[in-house]
Amino acid sequence: MSDQLVIDTLDFVRNGKALRGSIPLHDLQRLGSYLLDSTGELTYEISGQLDDLNRPMLEIAVNATLDLSCQRCLKTIGYVLDVKTTLLLARTEDELALYDEDIFVDAIYASNELDILALVEDEAILSLPVSPRHEDTGCHISAETETHEDIEKKHPFSILASLKHPH
């Protein structure tokens, strides 16, 4: 990444700050390893606030349209990234361990030097599908490869029918 944007997380929350921006996809090297094409940009919004229990948290929204590789046909699939997440800020290691026990809570250690662009890239990577695929009718595979859309559906026991009638 070309520039580094660093915040003090607790100060960011205490002052109710917000950040908004965009990052060219070609600047996100880790995310770029998942992409077929790194043209375009990723937009983000981050705001610091307190939750209902008065705990500091970051609200994060990340949006982009990404070109991923379909794992069925290996062609380009346009994936709309629309991430909205909340990260609680743990002030101590004990507090972080307590948050980690709750499967419904995402938390990070409150830092006085949190790299926002790395955080945004992390959230984008974590939200990618494990195996991106077109819908069942979306793959365009050639007849030469004889793959799932071109194979004639045969009953698995149809071969047994030939054994019914002796020669």
Side-chain angles (χ1 to χ4, degrees), residues 15-58:
N15 294 311
K17 292 183 180 179
L19 287 173
R20 168 183 299 190
S22 61
I23 309 166
L25 290 175
H26 62 81
D27 285 351
L28 302 171
Q29 294 174 354
R30 291 180 298 132
L31 178 62
S33 67
Y34 296 92
L35 306 178
L36 289 178
D37 182 15
S38 61
T39 58
E41 63 183 19
L42 178 144
T43 60
Y44 66 90
E45 284 184 46
I46 299 176
S47 63
Q49 45 194 286
L50 298 174
D51 71 358
D52 295 337
L53 300 173
N54 216 26
R55 300 176 296 187
M57 67 179 190
L58 296 176

Side-chain angles (χ1 to χ4, degrees), residues 75-136:
K75 303 284 185 191
T76 302
I77 180 172
Y79 179 74
V80 177
L81 181 72
D82 185 18
V83 178
K84 290 177 180 43
T85 190
T86 301
L87 292 177
L88 290 176
L89 299 172
R91 295 179 184 106
T92 65
E93 288 184 29
D94 291 338
E95 189 177 4
L96 185 59
L98 181 66
Y99 291 152
D100 281 344
E101 291 175 7
D102 187 344
I103 63 170
F104 299 108
V105 172
D106 290 327
I108 59 173
Y109 191 71
S111 170
N112 58 357
E113 292 186 0
L114 178 66
D115 183 346
I116 291 297
L117 301 182
L119 177 66
V120 167
E121 186 174 22
D122 289 344
E123 290 300 321
I125 291 169
L126 288 170
S127 68
L128 292 176
V130 173
S131 179
R133 293 177 291 198
H134 289 105
E135 296 295 322
D136 286 335

